[in-house]
Every structure is written in structure tokens, then in C-alpha cells.
Amino acid sequence: MCQLCEITPPSRTSRRVFLAGAACTAVNLALAPAVTAKETKPPPKPQNVLPPDATLDRLVKGNLRYVEGVSRRHDFKHEREALSGGQNPFAGILSCADSRIAPEYAFDTGRGDLFVCRVAGNFASDEMIASLEYAQSVLGVPLFMVLGHDSCGAVDAAIKSLKDNTTLPGHLPSLVTAIAPAVKATEGKPGDRLANAIRQNVIDNVARLKTATPILSAAVDQGKLRIVGAVYRLTDGKVELVTDAKRPAT
């Protein structure tokens, strides 16, 4: 019931009761269109409303355009206008902070398309998980990709620090601690040690995101979220999936 109706004393004349009721009705009618409009307001980029499989397909096709040198021309001016009141990115990327890795370019996307979190070594710290929780629970992002890259300096530094039993200066040891499980898991395995550790680091962090309770793990279980891992090749810009064999057709 409207507050105007509730505060009208029962001892008032019927005319006053009627006027209060009429005022209540008028207020409700005036507010209804605004509330309805807010609830049905379309997302700023309707083309970004995609299910998880279609999202991965869009990333794969965008990377193919980037590799082939036929990236699309993006209308940044109108994208700024559309995004001034909100955002609805279609994918989340946990990427290395390396200056040579630019997810928005690598997947040929525009502003407002990707929710990107970057840290040297592309590992899922508490802060990164919290950011991705926001992306999923508030923005409804249906797919996350952990994106490593070849020749990763952070992983290489972790390998050398652990091998030589040395402590890096400043806050760098925190990177070593985060990447150490992947380095130790691949020790002694055939093939290039750095490449193996880079790949394992991606796989480990995909697993961590999938099991991050309570938000991400629940979204994965409910089919609302898909999490994959990939490695970016510096030589040609190709992004290769290293987890989740279920890959959409291109």
C-alpha cells in the first residue's frame, strides 16, 4: 500500500480519504513507467549477450582475423557513447601484464567487449578472483580465459629463482610463490622446461578459477560460466587453447 494511504487517519471525511487514495494512484502511475523502463533497459552492446560456447567461438574468430591482419575497424566514438551508462563485456581474460600481450587487439575487440585482468604470470590471486567474481555475478560474463604466452619472463624468473635457491628483490618473490607449483609440477619432464611451466601455469589457474567458491564454482556447475586456458604465441599472435578440448567450430 502507498504511504499516502497509510498515513490518512480513519477519522477523516470520506472526501479526504478519496483524495488521498487518488493521490496514491497518481504517484504509482507516475513511477510505474520509470521502474519498467529501468528493468527493461537494453544492454549497451546487445551483440555481447552470448552463451559460453558462442563466446569462445567469437574469441577464436577474432584471433584469426588478428593473425591474418584483417582486424575490423572499431567505432570508438560511438562505443564511448553507448558505454557511458554501463557495460556488458562478453568475455573475461586473465592475462599476463607483459607489454607484448594485448587481449583487446589479439581478439580483435572493441571497448566494452572484454573484462581484462592482468598480472605478471597470469595467476589467479585473491584480487584477480574477486575481480572475475564481479564480472560474472554482476556483469553476467559467460566465459573466462586464462591467457599465458610463450617466453614469459615471470615464469622464467620463477624457474631460475627456484633452481638457484635465490630470493628476488622487492615484492618479486610473491610472483615466484604463485608460479612455483607449475614449475615444480613440470620439473624433469621432457621438452622445453619454460614452455612446459607456462602451459602448466595456465592449466593450474584454470582449475583454481573453476573451484573458487562460492561464486565461480557455482556458476560453472550451473552452466552459466565456462573457463578455458590458452597460450599466446609472440611470433604470429596465434592463441592456442591448452585446456577444454570442447572447441566450437570456426
Side-chain angles (χ1 to χ4, degrees):
M1 178 181 290
C2 173
Q3 290 181 343
L4 289 176
C5 298
E6 291 179 335
I7 64 175
T8 303
S11 60
R12 299 288 181 90
T13 64
S14 59
R15 175 178 173 79
R16 290 182 179 177
V17 172
F18 172 79
L19 290 175
C24 171
T25 302
V27 170
N28 288 336
L29 290 174
L31 292 177
V35 173
T36 303
K38 184 177 181 180
E39 291 175 348
T40 60
K41 181 181 177 180
K45 302 191 81 170
Q47 68 273 25
N48 285 357
V49 181
L50 298 168
D53 289 356
T55 294
L56 182 56
D57 186 52
R58 182 171 168 183
L59 288 176
V60 169
K61 290 178 178 177
N63 179 243
L64 288 176
R65 292 194 302 272
Y66 168 75
V67 170
E68 295 169 1
V70 292
S71 296
R72 294 169 177 169
R73 182 181 183 277
H74 297 282
D75 188 350
F76 294 113
K77 180 179 184 298
H78 288 93
E79 283 184 341
R80 285 197 299 270
E81 296 173 358
L83 295 167
S84 62
Q87 61 171 321
N88 66 312
F90 74 90
I93 310 293
L94 173 54
S95 170
C96 184
D98 192 299
S99 63
R100 299 167 292 178
I101 314 303
E104 292 86 353
Y105 289 151
F107 296 107
D108 189 21
T109 57
R111 294 180 70 251
D113 287 339
L114 300 180
F115 188 95
V116 180
C117 299
R118 301 185 66 174
V119 62
N122 47 269
F123 59 88
S125 65
D126 289 345
E127 294 79 7
M128 293 294 166
I129 293 175
S131 297
L132 293 172
E133 286 177 334
Y134 172 83
Q136 203 294 311
S137 61
V138 178
L139 303 179
V141 175
L143 181 135
F144 294 154
M145 175 182 286
V146 178
L147 182 62
H149 66 96
D150 54 15
S151 303
C152 181
V155 177
D156 189 42
I159 291 174
K160 292 176 180 177
S161 178
L162 293 170
K163 178 182 177 182
D164 301 334
N165 194 28
T166 57
T167 301
L168 298 178
H171 292 78
L172 291 172
S174 64
L175 300 181
V176 175
T177 299
I179 301 170
V183 174
K184 294 176 181 178
T186 55
E187 186 175 2
K189 291 189 176 181
D192 183 83
R193 187 174 186 187
L194 177 57
N196 290 343
I198 289 170
R199 180 186 178 94
Q200 187 62 47
N201 187 49
V202 169
I203 293 171
D204 288 351
N205 283 285
V206 167
R208 183 172 186 194
L209 290 180
K210 285 183 176 180
T211 57
T213 57
I215 296 174
L216 299 188
S217 60
V220 170
D221 292 342
Q222 295 165 10
K224 297 178 180 179
L225 176 65
R226 187 174 174 187
I227 304 176
V228 301
V231 173
Y232 176 93
R233 294 196 315 220
L234 294 173
T235 54
D236 57 13
K238 178 70 175 178
V239 173
E240 297 181 336
L241 289 175
V242 297
T243 68
D244 201 288
K246 181 186 176 184
R247 175 174 170 173
T250 59

